[in-house]
Amino acid sequence: LLHPYILSQISPFFRLISDHIRSQTNSITFETELITMHEELSLPLQNPLYAGVVVVGGGLAGLAAAAYAARSGRTVTLFEKASQPGGRAMTNHRAGFSMNLGAHALYYQAEAGEVLRELGVPYSGKEPPSLFALSGDKLHKLPLSPLTLLRSTLLDAPAKLEMSRVLAAVMLANTQSLQRMSLQEWLEQHVRHSQLRALLLMIARLTTYTNAPELLSATLFIDIMRKAPKVLYLDGGWQTLVDGLRQAALDAGARIVTGARVVAVEHEERVQGVQGV
């Protein structure tokens, strides 16, 4: 049983989902056959009681999981509690404007871009010409390179000096030894200047869509700082990815059931099914 959390649209989790599907073809994930549901749940399926794979949640990760599993030849049913799939990747269109509910920029050179290419999901967009930070009532260009660091008006001289040391530490860090360290712990060890710490926390929130440095992996943040992946602001918003992944899952043979909230997983030694309301 695959249960992608609705916030798992962050790029590395795309790869986690697809790698799991590729490597677990003989595991319990694909052995469950019976889907037990409460009588209140009406499923518009030809054969609603049986599926080789059940995906709970129709966000980006759930749709990608369903597409990969169906492409592997499995019988796949995806349950989404909302009236339409997408989760926090949905886009609302109002008065000619597209407003993303959650994430707003796609790291197309990272894992998400690779998964979208594998599944044949088209998208287009533009890279932002410059990145700025708002401090007080002034905009400052983000110091993301040695040259912009020297010219930046966002940091004072001591913070700039410390940032040069921090960037060196990022490039030299042994990420294997940091697997169990949080970003918060890493910052406490390497960053003393409060202004610089605030900037790095802002970059972490911006690049990972996560405001929990005590839980965020230091390794993930360091990898992002090293790679400095480029982003796209998508034409039509993230809904284009939702629609593309939904179509990829359907084309592969997956069944998508909306308005079906799964509340429990029935299991003993192995998964027996799911219950919904």
Side-chain angles (χ1 to χ4, degrees):
L1 179 71
L2 301 178
H3 189 172
Y5 184 54
I6 197 168
L7 292 181
S8 60
Q9 57 188 277
I10 299 174
S11 297
F13 200 76
F14 268 117
R15 177 54 50 203
L16 176 63
I17 285 290
S18 58
D19 286 348
H20 179 75
I21 291 173
R22 292 191 185 103
S23 63
Q24 300 295 321
T25 53
N26 294 319
S27 73
I28 194 171
T29 300
F30 298 115
E31 290 175 358
T32 180
E33 291 293 333
L34 178 62
I35 305 174
T36 58
M37 309 299 291
H38 283 317
E39 292 181 359
E40 307 94 275
L41 182 58
S42 176
L43 304 180
L45 305 176
Q46 293 180 347
N47 188 6
L49 295 180
Y50 295 93
V53 178
V54 175
V55 180
V56 181
L60 293 186
L63 292 168
Y68 274 116
R71 283 189 173 194
S72 74
R74 305 292 172 170
T75 302
V76 180
T77 300
L78 181 149
F79 295 106
E80 165 57 46
K81 66 179 180 180
S83 60
Q84 58 182 327
R88 292 193 63 190
M90 289 191 295
T91 302
N92 294 320
H93 301 283
R94 297 180 183 176
F97 294 92
S98 299
M99 294 173 284
N100 294 313
L101 181 61
H104 58 280
L106 173 67
Y107 293 90
Y108 65 96
Q109 295 177 322
E111 287 84 352
E114 184 179 346
V115 169
L116 294 170
R117 286 189 291 274
E118 287 180 356
L119 295 177
V121 176
Y123 59 87
S124 62
K126 295 180 176 63
E127 295 181 13
S130 298
L131 297 175
F132 293 87
L134 179 64
S135 179
D137 58 352
K138 294 183 179 180
L139 283 176
H140 305 266
K141 196 166 185 177
L142 277 179
L144 299 178
S145 69
L147 182 59
T148 56
L149 176 60
L150 288 174
R151 295 177 176 177
S152 175
T153 58
L154 181 62
L155 301 175
D156 59 24
K160 290 181 181 180
L161 180 61
E162 185 170 356
M163 185 165 186
S164 65
R165 291 197 296 264
V166 169
L167 291 176
V170 165
M171 299 308 296
L172 296 174
N174 179 1
T175 54
Q176 291 296 323
S177 65
L178 301 177
Q179 292 291 338
R180 297 183 179 276
M181 180 177 289
S182 70
L183 174 60
Q184 186 68 49
E185 293 171 318
W186 189 85
L187 290 175
E188 289 173 355
Q189 290 184 15
H190 293 274
V191 182
R192 290 174 293 180
H193 199 291
S194 59
Q195 195 179 48
L196 177 56
R197 184 175 296 184
L199 172 62
L200 294 175
L201 286 171
M202 182 273 291
I203 293 174
R205 292 193 300 271
L206 180 67
T207 56
T208 66
Y209 310 112
T210 303
N211 186 21
E214 71 281 2
L215 300 177
L216 187 65
S217 165
T219 297
L220 174 61
F221 179 71
I222 289 172
D223 283 343
I224 291 173
M225 291 290 288
R226 284 177 175 174
K227 296 175 182 177
K230 294 182 178 181
V231 302
L232 285 183
Y233 288 91
L234 299 177
D235 297 330
W238 275 56
Q239 188 67 42
T240 59
L241 303 185
V242 174
D243 296 341
L245 286 170
R246 175 181 177 275
Q247 194 59 50
L250 292 174
D251 289 346
R255 296 177 291 184
I256 298 175
V257 184
T258 57
R261 180 170 174 259
V262 172
V263 296
V265 177
E266 297 287 345
H267 62 91
E268 293 178 0
E269 292 185 358
R270 54 175 288 180
V271 175
Q272 303 296 317
V274 294
Q275 291 185 0
V277 294

